[in-house]
Amino acid sequence: MGSLPFTTSDLQTSTSGVPSSPTLLCTPLMGTTVDQMFIEMRKAKEIGADIVEIRLDCLRNFNPRQDLEILIKQSPLPTLVTYRPIWEGGQYEGDENKRQDALRLAMELGASYIDVELEVAKLSVAHDFNMSISGKKPDNFKVIVSSHNFHNTPSAEAIGNLVARIQATGADIVKIATTALDITDCARIFQIMVHSQIPTIGIVMGERGLISRLLSPKYGGYLTYGALEAGAISAPGQPTAKDLLDLYNFRLIKPDTKIYGIIGKPVGHSKSPLLFNASFKSVGLNAIYLHFLVDDVAKFFNTYSTPDFGGCSCTIPHKEAALKCMDDIDHIAKKIGAINNICHRPDGKLYAFNTDYIGAISAIEDGLRELNGKAPGTESPLAGKLLVVLGAGGAGKSLAYGGAQKGARVVVANRTFERAKELADKVGGKAMTLEEVEHFHPEEGMVLANTTSVGMKPKIDETPLPKHALKHYCLVFDAIYTPKDTRLLREAKETGAVIVYGTEMLIRQGFEQYKNFTGLPAPEELFRQLMEKHA
């Protein structure tokens, strides 16, 4: 499995046979009546779609001439008419001749496009259909010939042969839809779109294929599909038109757009694309940030290795596995043993950072400065402080190493003493069990950092430390951000401690990642507004 055999320069030269034009956004209409489809058409126009796909196989009691005349002639947007049979993922189970008659009628009544399937029962439907309308096609009318594979994504050679077969039918536009078993399957579809000599729609279905839909404008796809709403998709993994336009800045994606994203499993819940795409747009940066659902980290980096892929954030469960794929690692990240920020340098090398510790430590430092009434100076306010870190996992390591680097005296407490001791020894600190922390108060004014999951949704009534023990701390930080206001923080505030929210760590580590990706300071106010709005 090699890397992608194309770069931005290929995009500019390999599609010379195809006129360059923006990728169109098509919204499928799934209504069961003509009236419902009309409501959907108006919504699609309001959202900003370019075309509507009239799915005739969704209509109950379909009357071809009457319904098509109304739907096509009164549509506020150009129409693509599809009458998908059950053998190709649709709902139509009737006579094949009647189905093709309806598509011919759609052409006669003014549809801009019709979609006809390549074959049924090894007989070429598309070729015969195109022969039947030869010489009758109106100006600006186009036939899309499609092939759907609901099992996998074949080899690049097999897909190339399929494209040739579709072209041989006389198709105006080629449509290939495959199924992603791995996110790297999308690379083969990108390759086909880039090198195709006729307009091509390339889609990889399923959640692992999402990037094929989002990056269609980058790789020269003729159109991509966006659902009216999340519950009304016409194929697996289809995003909504609203998300394409508003979340992913679909209209701003060009062949030279830089690609960033977050790798994880699961990853769809991440708000990072919201923060980064809005930030890129606000400063006019030609970049997009995506969700990457990754199963095999090494395979992902090996496949998407061109300079167009500028870097990624890294979340569970890949923070440690990704280390092995890096060419260079920041010295603190190396000590922590986990990374969350990867940059693809111009020389092709992957350089990794851990920004979690910077986000958490800087938030704690600012909290201490606020408490002491001090302006930022050269010395960290954590220097000499007793920092008690609850938990010895990834976030615990970040806090322990970060605190030690700033001159804090670190105590690591964990459910299992052995893990606490292993981490404490590495940072020159002290180890104990979580149970011991309640009665541990050698001095007043300590700093507490919780990195355990105790108190996270849904168990929001739990706390890692009883309220009476919090009176010995001047500042309490909780890495949990769902909920933002944990029981630990509420009770710490009641005892008079300064509190630092987990959302602050999340936002600040994002600032660092943005800076590493772009070389520019993050638009901090925008980050904060978006986090507050979508909390």
Side-chain angles (χ1 to χ4, degrees):
M1 229 281 326
S3 60
L4 276 179
F6 59 85
T7 63
T8 303
S9 60
D10 293 318
L11 291 174
Q12 294 163 344
T13 59
S14 63
T15 56
S16 55
V18 182
S20 178
S21 59
T23 299
L24 300 171
L25 174 55
C26 178
T27 295
L29 309 180
M30 310 289 287
T32 56
T33 66
V34 170
D35 287 344
Q36 282 179 2
M37 281 199 174
F38 262 120
I39 292 168
E40 292 173 346
M41 281 176 177
R42 287 195 291 272
K43 282 185 186 171
K45 184 172 173 62
E46 285 168 17
I47 288 170
D50 301 304
I51 307 170
V52 287
E53 180 187 29
I54 300 172
R55 285 291 298 263
L56 298 181
D57 51 303
C58 293
L59 286 171
R60 296 189 195 126
N61 307 316
F62 173 49
N63 182 325
R65 180 162 289 278
Q66 178 183 307
D67 293 350
L68 281 169
E69 183 130 23
I70 295 169
L71 287 167
I72 293 170
K73 295 196 172 175
Q74 295 183 31
S75 172
L77 292 169
T79 53
L80 157 58
V81 177
T82 301
Y83 205 178
R84 191 75 75 218
I86 201 157
W87 48 264
E88 194 87 353
Q91 298 181 38
Y92 181 74
E93 295 185 80
D95 179 74
E96 179 60 24
N97 289 325
K98 286 182 179 177
R99 188 177 78 87
Q100 291 189 39
D101 286 343
L103 291 173
R104 272 186 287 270
L105 182 58
M107 176 191 78
E108 292 165 15
L109 291 172
S112 299
Y113 308 85
I114 57 167
D115 180 325
V116 60
E117 297 73 21
L118 176 61
E119 62 185 1
V120 54
K122 302 303 177 187
L123 298 173
S124 177
V125 171
H127 180 268
D128 294 347
F129 183 88
N130 280 328
M131 290 297 291
S132 76
I133 62 171
S134 180
K136 303 173 187 173
K137 285 167 65 174
D139 292 341
N140 300 320
F141 167 79
K142 291 182 169 54
V143 176
I144 298 169
V145 175
S146 60
S147 172
H148 298 79
N149 181 331
F150 294 98
H151 307 291
N152 57 26
T153 299
S155 67
E157 183 182 4
I159 298 172
N161 291 338
L162 184 59
V163 169
R165 283 178 56 209
I166 291 176
Q167 282 185 257
T169 67
D172 297 305
I173 300 167
V174 169
K175 178 185 173 187
I176 303 280
T178 66
T179 297
L181 302 182
D182 189 273
I183 193 169
T184 57
D185 292 343
C186 299
R188 300 197 285 286
I189 291 295
F190 293 151
Q191 189 179 356
I192 291 296
M193 286 198 290
V194 163
H195 293 292
S196 178
Q197 293 301 301
I198 71 167
T200 301
I201 302 164
I203 288 164
V204 188
M205 296 179 285
E207 192 182 352
R208 288 166 176 80
L210 176 64
I211 66 169
S212 71
R213 299 173 180 276
L214 304 179
L215 293 176
S216 195
K218 179 171 177 64
Y219 296 117
Y222 186 82
L223 66 77
T224 198
Y225 297 85
L228 270 181
E229 48 198 48
I233 62 171
S234 62
Q238 193 175 87
T240 65
K242 189 170 183 355
D243 276 354
L244 277 166
L245 294 168
D246 298 343
L247 174 58
Y248 296 110
N249 299 331
F250 180 77
R251 300 289 188 206
L252 301 179
I253 303 170
K254 300 183 289 235
D256 58 348
T257 295
K258 201 91 162 170
I259 303 164
Y260 299 93
I262 178 165
I263 64 171
K265 184 183 177 183
V267 76
H269 64 282
S270 171
K271 291 188 172 70
S272 293
L274 175 79
L275 299 177
F276 282 94
N277 287 325
S279 300
F280 292 158
K281 185 178 179 180
S282 73
V283 296
L285 209 60
N286 183 17
I288 183 174
Y289 188 103
L290 309 172
H291 291 103
F292 294 132
L293 177 57
V294 172
D295 297 284
D296 183 327
V297 180
K299 192 176 180 183
F300 174 82
F301 286 121
N302 186 36
T303 302
Y304 299 113
S305 60
T306 64
D308 283 3
F309 286 81
C312 58
S313 310
C314 185
T315 189
I316 295 168
H318 300 315
K319 289 189 176 189
E320 292 174 14
L323 272 169
K324 298 171 188 168
C325 304
M326 298 300 107
D327 297 300
D328 207 351
I329 302 165
D330 173 74
H331 70 285
I332 296 289
K334 197 176 285 184
K335 284 181 181 177
I336 293 169
I339 58 176
N340 72 320
N341 182 215
I342 299 160
C343 294
H344 196 180
R345 288 174 161 175
D347 62 4
K349 292 191 185 314
L350 294 171
Y351 191 88
F353 304 87
N354 186 308
T355 66
D356 283 337
Y357 90 93
I358 298 172
I361 294 297
S362 69
I364 290 170
E365 286 179 322
D366 282 353
L368 289 172
R369 289 188 185 104
E370 182 188 324
L371 178 69
N372 301 327
K374 288 183 179 177
T378 50
E379 187 181 46
S380 169
L382 265 171
K385 281 279 185 188
L386 194 58
L387 172 64
V388 179
V389 179
L390 306 183
K397 287 177 183 176
S398 296
L399 266 296
Y401 276 104
Q405 189 199 29
K406 296 291 186 176
R409 295 170 290 137
V410 178
V411 175
V412 180
N414 196 59
R415 189 169 49 83
T416 55
F417 179 77
E418 290 73 23
R419 284 201 70 185
K421 188 172 189 319
E422 184 185 351
L423 176 55
D425 286 350
K426 286 178 179 174
V427 298
K430 178 181 169 68
M432 63 179 64
T433 63
L434 288 173
E435 290 74 24
E436 291 176 278
V437 179
E438 181 179 347
H439 304 291
F440 176 74
H441 45 86
E443 61 188 68
E444 301 301 316
M446 299 184 292
V447 175
L448 181 70
N450 175 46
T451 71
T452 74
S453 60
V454 180
M456 186 185 289
K457 279 184 180 178
K459 299 179 179 179
I460 59 172
D461 293 326
E462 294 183 0
T463 182
L465 206 57
K467 185 177 179 179
H468 70 82
L470 298 174
K471 64 187 177 186
H472 305 291
Y473 296 89
C474 68
L475 182 145
V476 175
F477 163 78
D478 197 338
I480 292 170
Y481 55 89
T482 53
K484 177 183 176 181
D485 210 17
T486 59
R487 179 181 167 187
L488 174 68
L489 292 180
R490 289 198 310 273
E491 292 183 347
K493 193 173 185 180
E494 288 166 9
T495 64
V498 168
I499 61 169
V500 177
Y501 293 110
T503 49
E504 197 59 30
M505 169 183 169
L506 191 67
I507 290 170
R508 289 175 183 235
Q509 67 82 25
F511 295 165
E512 287 298 312
Q513 292 207 39
Y514 185 95
K515 187 173 74 177
N516 291 339
F517 286 149
T518 68
L520 302 168
E524 297 187 8
E525 192 56 40
L526 179 60
F527 260 59
R528 292 186 184 282
Q529 286 172 2
L530 289 166
M531 280 296 291
E532 195 66 36
K533 183 179 176 183
H534 297 276

